[in-house]
Amino acid sequence: MAASELGVADVASGSYKGMSSDNIKGLVLALSSSFFIGASFIVKKKGLKKAGASGVRAGVGGYSYLYEPLWWVGMITMIVGEIANFAAYAFAPAILVTPLGALSIIISAILARIILREKLHIFGVLGCALCVVGSITIVLHAPQEREIESVKEVWDLATEPAFLFYATLVIAVALVLIFQYIPEYGQTHIMFYIGVCSLVGSLSVMSVKALGIALKLTMSGTNQLIYPQTWAFALVLISCVLTQLNYLNKAIDTFNTAVVSPIYYVMFTSLTILASVIMFKDWDRQNPTQIVTEMCGFVTILSGTFLLHKTKDMVDGPTTTGMRLPKHADEENGFGEEGIPLRRQETLRTP
């Protein structure tokens, strides 16, 4: 009996033993990634403040922060986080790793409160709590990672009719948005830029996962770099990432980052989970109760993320104004007034 069939049998019989060792590794890497990336925003902001005190601020076009060691520490911390996130996809399914990206927002909010003495509205605290509850729910009910012994197996999954139809549909819709709607409506309707980023982003995550698996197998002694499929996935990843960066930057430059970030998180995460379910058949190894519970956890995370962003510019007390920042206020360091990262997804947590 196949490993996946055994896993389903265990669940059905009530003898499910919990998370697999690979899922645990992926979970640890994803949590580490969220911590490093969340902390990097705080370190970079302190570096930007320190650089701005002795030179031209980044917000008005200065580059003195490039000479500030603290800013570089923040950048290195973010790179470490992205590497950990990349590795997480090699061990755990995307339905487990991707939603945990919201935890970096919580890390930044908490550290901003402790280190930078920035305030967080009581509803922002509730948003953090919702994200934690939703993340725990998904972690406890995430599917087991599929056993894959070669990048050729991933290629076979990617070339099955169902995923080929999804990929073709994604590319077709993205091209229609790029060439027909964005030239006319891109500057006034946020969903067109975000739509391209999210659609292409779901394919980039699948490529990241394929490359992560290839590298994991290579390091374990089975060289996957000799297969053309590995380099095909790398080419797809580069193309998707460049497209994401281009249109995400356009969205951030055109619209308020406080609006871009939560919308992008919702669309990107939803489409990534859909792509993973189609390509890796994550839900085939689960019963309906687990699937519904995962979706409830995901909705809980979305609710917490929305609440956190909605109240980021609000403070408790009689001086609360509830006013939002101007579109370009402090965008260079990616923070709003409360120190919450507004450009979390710009790091391409795949992305």
Side-chain angles (χ1 to χ4, degrees):
M1 185 180 291
S4 59
E5 294 175 343
L6 286 172
V8 173
D10 286 343
V11 172
S13 64
S15 59
Y16 179 60
K17 302 300 182 181
M19 297 180 66
S20 66
S21 59
D22 275 355
N23 271 24
I24 293 175
K25 292 175 184 177
L27 173 62
V28 172
L29 287 167
L31 292 177
S32 300
S33 172
S34 292
F35 177 80
F36 281 115
I37 292 174
S40 73
F41 284 101
I42 305 302
V43 178
K44 285 201 299 180
K45 183 167 185 179
K46 288 184 71 70
L48 287 166
K49 284 186 173 182
K50 188 175 180 181
S54 57
V56 181
R57 291 181 62 249
V60 293
Y63 295 95
S64 57
Y65 61 88
L66 294 176
Y67 302 97
E68 175 53 51
L70 196 58
W71 184 84
W72 283 106
V73 170
M75 281 299 298
I76 293 172
T77 303
M78 177 172 287
I79 292 172
V80 171
E82 294 298 341
I83 293 174
N85 182 65
F86 179 93
Y89 282 107
F91 293 97
I95 198 171
L96 169 62
V97 177
T98 305
L100 293 181
L103 295 181
S104 63
I105 300 176
I106 299 175
I107 297 296
S108 280
I110 294 174
L111 293 179
R113 174 81 173 184
I114 297 173
I115 298 175
L116 301 177
R117 305 300 182 188
E118 295 178 342
K119 298 186 180 299
L120 185 65
H121 192 270
I122 185 63
F123 288 114
V125 176
L126 177 60
C128 291
L130 287 173
C131 288
V132 171
V133 171
S135 298
I136 292 174
T137 302
I138 289 179
V139 167
L140 292 179
H141 296 85
Q144 303 295 334
E145 175 70 335
R146 175 187 288 268
E147 293 292 335
I148 294 178
E149 299 179 356
S150 170
V151 72
K152 289 183 176 180
E153 292 184 36
V154 185
W155 183 262
D156 290 339
L157 294 173
T159 53
E160 288 187 356
F163 188 76
L164 281 179
F165 174 78
Y166 173 80
T168 302
L169 183 63
V170 163
I171 294 172
V173 173
L175 290 176
V176 169
L177 292 177
I178 290 171
F179 292 107
Q180 183 171 345
Y181 289 97
I182 285 179
E184 186 173 356
Y185 303 108
Q187 295 295 310
T188 55
H189 293 75
I190 189 174
M191 295 304 294
F192 294 119
Y193 284 144
I194 299 300
V196 173
C197 294
S198 302
L199 287 166
V200 175
S202 66
L203 297 182
S204 70
V205 171
M206 297 303 99
S207 300
V208 162
K209 185 167 181 63
L211 284 178
I213 292 172
L215 292 176
K216 180 181 73 172
L217 293 173
T218 298
M219 289 186 290
S220 65
T222 308
N223 187 10
Q224 303 296 304
L225 301 181
I226 60 175
Y227 297 118
Q229 290 89 340
T230 301
W231 301 105
F233 281 123
L235 182 61
V236 172
L237 176 61
I238 293 172
S239 302
C240 291
V241 167
L242 290 177
T243 304
Q244 279 181 270
L245 281 174
N246 180 40
Y247 288 97
L248 183 57
N249 286 334
K250 288 179 182 291
I252 291 172
D253 185 59
T254 306
F255 303 98
N256 195 316
T257 50
V259 178
V260 172
S261 185
I263 293 177
Y264 183 43
Y265 175 79
V266 171
M267 292 187 64
F268 169 75
T269 306
S270 300
L271 288 170
T272 297
I273 290 175
L274 176 61
S276 181
V277 168
I278 295 174
M279 180 171 169
F280 290 97
K281 301 176 177 60
D282 294 327
W283 286 349
D284 289 356
R285 304 185 296 280
Q286 294 186 286
N287 59 41
T289 301
Q290 287 179 296
I291 295 173
V292 172
T293 304
E294 285 173 5
M295 290 300 97
C296 290
F298 179 50
V299 172
T300 303
I301 292 178
L302 296 184
S303 302
T305 302
F306 174 80
L307 189 59
L308 192 56
H309 278 278
K310 192 71 175 176
T311 60
K312 72 178 185 61
D313 296 329
M314 298 171 61
V315 294
D316 292 318
T319 59
T320 300
T321 62
M323 296 180 61
R324 290 199 174 277
L325 293 173
K327 182 178 73 170
H328 294 290
D330 209 16
E331 282 192 4
E332 283 295 324
N333 55 27
F335 276 74
E337 185 179 358
E338 301 305 327
I340 299 172
L342 305 183
R343 296 196 294 178
R344 168 67 191 90
Q345 295 299 338
E346 195 176 6
T347 64
L348 289 181
R349 187 176 184 81
T350 56

